[in-house]
PDB file of all heavy atoms in Angstrom:
ATOM      1  N   THR Z 143     -76.271  34.060-250.674  1.00 98.00           N
ATOM      2  CA  THR Z 143     -76.414  35.048-251.741  1.00 98.00           C
ATOM      3  C   THR Z 143     -77.874  35.231-252.124  1.00 98.00           C
ATOM      4  O   THR Z 143     -78.683  34.306-252.037  1.00 98.00           O
ATOM      5  CB  THR Z 143     -75.619  34.636-252.995  1.00 98.00           C
ATOM      6  OG1 THR Z 143     -76.030  33.325-253.402  1.00 98.00           O
ATOM      7  CG2 THR Z 143     -74.133  34.637-252.730  1.00 98.00           C
ATOM      8  N   TYR Z 144     -78.154  36.451-252.579  1.00 98.00           N
ATOM      9  CA  TYR Z 144     -79.499  36.815-253.033  1.00 98.00           C
ATOM     10  C   TYR Z 144     -79.383  37.523-254.378  1.00 98.00           C
ATOM     11  O   TYR Z 144     -78.551  38.418-254.542  1.00 98.00           O
ATOM     12  CB  TYR Z 144     -80.165  37.775-252.031  1.00 98.00           C
ATOM     13  CG  TYR Z 144     -80.528  37.132-250.717  1.00 98.00           C
ATOM     14  CD1 TYR Z 144     -79.551  36.858-249.764  1.00 98.00           C
ATOM     15  CD2 TYR Z 144     -81.846  36.778-250.435  1.00 98.00           C
ATOM     16  CE1 TYR Z 144     -79.867  36.255-248.565  1.00 98.00           C
ATOM     17  CE2 TYR Z 144     -82.181  36.166-249.229  1.00 98.00           C
ATOM     18  CZ  TYR Z 144     -81.193  35.905-248.306  1.00 98.00           C
ATOM     19  OH  TYR Z 144     -81.508  35.298-247.115  1.00 98.00           O
ATOM     20  N   LEU Z 145     -80.228  37.133-255.317  1.00 98.00           N
ATOM     21  CA  LEU Z 145     -80.365  37.859-256.588  1.00 98.00           C
ATOM     22  C   LEU Z 145     -81.684  38.615-256.538  1.00 98.00           C
ATOM     23  O   LEU Z 145     -82.726  38.018-256.256  1.00 98.00           O
ATOM     24  CB  LEU Z 145     -80.370  36.899-257.783  1.00 98.00           C
ATOM     25  CG  LEU Z 145     -80.449  37.607-259.145  1.00 98.00           C
ATOM     26  CD1 LEU Z 145     -79.051  37.982-259.629  1.00 98.00           C
ATOM     27  CD2 LEU Z 145     -81.148  36.747-260.201  1.00 98.00           C
ATOM     28  N   VAL Z 146     -81.624  39.927-256.796  1.00 98.00           N
ATOM     29  CA  VAL Z 146     -82.858  40.717-256.856  1.00 98.00           C
ATOM     30  C   VAL Z 146     -83.261  40.898-258.318  1.00 98.00           C
ATOM     31  O   VAL Z 146     -82.411  40.922-259.213  1.00 98.00           O
ATOM     32  CB  VAL Z 146     -82.704  42.081-256.157  1.00 98.00           C
ATOM     33  CG1 VAL Z 146     -82.566  41.891-254.652  1.00 98.00           C
ATOM     34  CG2 VAL Z 146     -81.524  42.879-256.703  1.00 98.00           C
ATOM     35  N   ARG Z 147     -84.574  41.036-258.537  1.00 98.00           N
ATOM     36  CA  ARG Z 147     -85.084  41.139-259.912  1.00 98.00           C
ATOM     37  C   ARG Z 147     -85.081  42.579-260.438  1.00 98.00           C
ATOM     38  O   ARG Z 147     -85.458  42.811-261.591  1.00 98.00           O
ATOM     39  CB  ARG Z 147     -86.503  40.568-259.991  1.00 98.00           C
ATOM     40  CG  ARG Z 147     -86.570  39.076-259.741  1.00 98.00           C
ATOM     41  CD  ARG Z 147     -87.932  38.530-260.163  1.00 98.00           C
ATOM     42  NE  ARG Z 147     -87.997  37.091-260.019  1.00 98.00           N
ATOM     43  CZ  ARG Z 147     -88.570  36.453-258.984  1.00 98.00           C
ATOM     44  NH1 ARG Z 147     -89.124  37.146-258.013  1.00 98.00           N
ATOM     45  NH2 ARG Z 147     -88.583  35.135-258.938  1.00 98.00           N
ATOM     46  N   THR Z 148     -84.679  43.540-259.613  1.00 98.00           N
ATOM     47  CA  THR Z 148     -84.523  44.903-260.109  1.00 98.00           C
ATOM     48  C   THR Z 148     -83.262  44.976-260.971  1.00 98.00           C
ATOM     49  O   THR Z 148     -82.452  44.049-260.980  1.00 98.00           O
ATOM     50  CB  THR Z 148     -84.425  45.901-258.934  1.00 98.00           C
ATOM     51  OG1 THR Z 148     -83.439  45.420-258.004  1.00 98.00           O
ATOM     52  CG2 THR Z 148     -85.763  46.040-258.221  1.00 98.00           C
ATOM     53  N   GLY Z 149     -83.080  46.093-261.679  1.00 98.00           N
ATOM     54  CA  GLY Z 149     -81.894  46.256-262.536  1.00 98.00           C
ATOM     55  C   GLY Z 149     -81.839  45.181-263.602  1.00 98.00           C
ATOM     56  O   GLY Z 149     -82.808  44.945-264.306  1.00 98.00           O
ATOM     57  N   ARG Z 150     -80.704  44.498-263.672  1.00 98.00           N
ATOM     58  CA  ARG Z 150     -80.534  43.430-264.658  1.00 98.00           C
ATOM     59  C   ARG Z 150     -81.040  42.094-264.143  1.00 98.00           C
ATOM     60  O   ARG Z 150     -80.954  41.081-264.834  1.00 98.00           O
ATOM     61  CB  ARG Z 150     -79.043  43.284-265.005  1.00 98.00           C
ATOM     62  CG  ARG Z 150     -78.448  44.501-265.696  1.00 98.00           C
ATOM     63  CD  ARG Z 150     -76.934  44.549-265.493  1.00 98.00           C
ATOM     64  NE  ARG Z 150     -76.272  43.479-266.214  1.00 98.00           N
ATOM     65  CZ  ARG Z 150     -75.032  43.044-265.933  1.00 98.00           C
ATOM     66  NH1 ARG Z 150     -74.342  43.596-264.941  1.00 98.00           N
ATOM     67  NH2 ARG Z 150     -74.490  42.085-266.622  1.00 98.00           N
ATOM     68  N   GLY Z 151     -81.559  42.077-262.910  1.00 98.00           N
ATOM     69  CA  GLY Z 151     -81.868  40.825-262.251  1.00 98.00           C
ATOM     70  C   GLY Z 151     -82.877  39.962-262.982  1.00 98.00           C
ATOM     71  O   GLY Z 151     -82.707  38.739-263.080  1.00 98.00           O
ATOM     72  N   ALA Z 152     -83.931  40.593-263.512  1.00 96.00           N
ATOM     73  CA  ALA Z 152     -84.977  39.807-264.170  1.00 96.00           C
ATOM     74  C   ALA Z 152     -84.395  39.040-265.354  1.00 96.00           C
ATOM     75  O   ALA Z 152     -84.731  37.888-265.584  1.00 96.00           O
ATOM     76  CB  ALA Z 152     -86.111  40.724-264.604  1.00 96.00           C
ATOM     77  N   GLU Z 153     -83.508  39.688-266.120  1.00 96.00           N
ATOM     78  CA  GLU Z 153     -82.921  39.013-267.290  1.00 96.00           C
ATOM     79  C   GLU Z 153     -81.805  38.046-266.888  1.00 96.00           C
ATOM     80  O   GLU Z 153     -81.494  37.122-267.624  1.00 96.00           O
ATOM     81  CB  GLU Z 153     -82.392  40.035-268.302  1.00 96.00           C
ATOM     82  CG  GLU Z 153     -81.256  40.876-267.761  1.00 96.00           C
ATOM     83  CD  GLU Z 153     -80.669  41.868-268.769  1.00 96.00           C
ATOM     84  OE1 GLU Z 153     -81.452  42.678-269.298  1.00 96.00           O
ATOM     85  OE2 GLU Z 153     -79.453  41.819-268.998  1.00 96.00           O
ATOM     86  N   GLN Z 154     -81.206  38.259-265.725  1.00 97.00           N
ATOM     87  CA  GLN Z 154     -80.102  37.400-265.293  1.00 97.00           C
ATOM     88  C   GLN Z 154     -80.592  36.148-264.556  1.00 97.00           C
ATOM     89  O   GLN Z 154     -79.835  35.200-264.368  1.00 97.00           O
ATOM     90  CB  GLN Z 154     -79.156  38.184-264.375  1.00 97.00           C
ATOM     91  CG  GLN Z 154     -78.496  39.375-265.055  1.00 97.00           C
ATOM     92  CD  GLN Z 154     -77.119  39.034-265.590  1.00 97.00           C
ATOM     93  OE1 GLN Z 154     -76.264  38.525-264.872  1.00 97.00           O
ATOM     94  NE2 GLN Z 154     -76.898  39.309-266.870  1.00 97.00           N
ATOM     95  N   GLU Z 155     -81.850  36.159-264.182  1.00 96.00           N
ATOM     96  CA  GLU Z 155     -82.400  35.067-263.383  1.00 96.00           C
ATOM     97  C   GLU Z 155     -82.267  33.721-264.095  1.00 96.00           C
ATOM     98  O   GLU Z 155     -81.852  32.723-263.482  1.00 96.00           O
ATOM     99  CB  GLU Z 155     -83.863  35.383-263.069  1.00 96.00           C
ATOM    100  CG  GLU Z 155     -84.501  34.417-262.110  1.00 96.00           C
ATOM    101  CD  GLU Z 155     -85.940  34.816-261.774  1.00 96.00           C
ATOM    102  OE1 GLU Z 155     -86.330  35.998-261.964  1.00 96.00           O
ATOM    103  OE2 GLU Z 155     -86.681  33.925-261.335  1.00 96.00           O
ATOM    104  N   ALA Z 156     -82.585  33.709-265.395  1.00 95.00           N
ATOM    105  CA  ALA Z 156     -82.501  32.454-266.156  1.00 95.00           C
ATOM    106  C   ALA Z 156     -81.056  31.968-266.242  1.00 95.00           C
ATOM    107  O   ALA Z 156     -80.781  30.768-266.122  1.00 95.00           O
ATOM    108  CB  ALA Z 156     -83.084  32.653-267.541  1.00 95.00           C
TER     109      ALA Z 156
END
Side-chain angles (χ1 to χ4, degrees):
T143 55
Y144 290 76
L145 183 87
V146 291
R147 294 194 176 100
T148 50
R150 295 157 69 200
E153 64 178 56
Q154 298 264 307
E155 187 177 340

